[in-house]
């Protein structure tokens, strides 16, 4: 059975402090990662924490990209969730790894929306 989406959770290590601590730069890189993966960007919002760190999300037609950074640790936690066949979440993760100047990335993919028998749950409960 074909899943509805792919969700990649990425741990990105050894990143450049100055990049991970710059909300505008993280925003730019995340938006470009979405575009690099073939996604259609809808909206985005990013927040800079004090004394450091950035969190943000890019909403795409195909779902979303989200991030939280720990610049002092050179670490970024990223998730890329895509639906359909036209967007590759791994392209986004690889782009982020390069642009953050990272030394390493560990990631795993989960298939989302594998529906048993393709029967809507509500219909099964009411029958």
């Amino acid at each position: 059975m074909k899943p509805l989406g792919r969700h990649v959770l990425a741990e990105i290590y050894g990143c450049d402090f100055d990049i991970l601590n710059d909300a505008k730069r993280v925003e730019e890189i995340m938006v470009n990662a979405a575009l690099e993966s073939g996604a259609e960007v809808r909206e985005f919002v990013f927040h800079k924490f004090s004394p450091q760190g950035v969190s943000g999300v890019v909403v795409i037609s195909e779902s979303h990209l989200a991030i939280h950074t720990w610049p002092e640790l050179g670490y970024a936690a990223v998730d890329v969730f895509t639906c359909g066949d036209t967007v590759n979440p791994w392209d986004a993760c690889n782009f982020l790894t390069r642009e953050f100047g990272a030394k390493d990335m560990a990631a795993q993919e989960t298939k989302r929306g594998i529906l048993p028998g393709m029967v809507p749950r509500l219909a099964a409960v009411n029958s």
Side-chain angles (χ1 to χ4, degrees):
M1 174 178 289
K2 186 176 178 185
L4 296 176
R6 302 165 65 191
H7 199 161
V8 176
L9 300 178
E11 313 287 325
I12 306 177
Y13 304 100
C15 302
D16 182 283
F17 175 94
D18 292 326
I19 295 172
L20 291 188
N21 203 39
D22 183 335
K24 280 295 180 195
R25 183 77 177 118
V26 171
E27 174 184 298
E28 175 186 322
I29 291 170
M30 290 286 288
V31 168
N32 285 327
L35 296 171
E36 179 80 11
S37 72
E40 180 181 356
V41 174
R42 293 296 187 168
E43 296 182 56
F44 48 87
V45 62
F46 286 80
H47 176 79
K48 170 77 168 71
F49 292 95
S50 180
Q52 65 242 346
V54 174
S55 282
V57 65
V58 178
V59 177
I60 57 178
S61 294
E62 303 80 6
S63 195
H64 71 272
L65 290 77
I67 189 168
H68 187 75
T69 73
W70 285 263
E72 70 278 16
L73 302 175
Y75 169 72
V78 172
D79 75 280
V80 181
F81 184 12
T82 63
C83 299
D85 297 327
T86 60
V87 179
N88 185 343
W90 290 100
D91 289 343
C93 291
N94 291 327
F95 181 86
L96 294 170
T97 301
R98 283 192 309 273
E99 293 297 309
F100 292 152
K103 292 183 176 45
D104 196 20
M105 175 188 60
Q108 62 184 18
E109 179 176 330
T110 299
K111 304 297 186 206
R112 303 295 303 268
I114 300 175
L115 306 175
M118 296 302 278
V119 176
R121 190 179 264 308
L122 186 58
V125 170
N126 290 331
S127 15

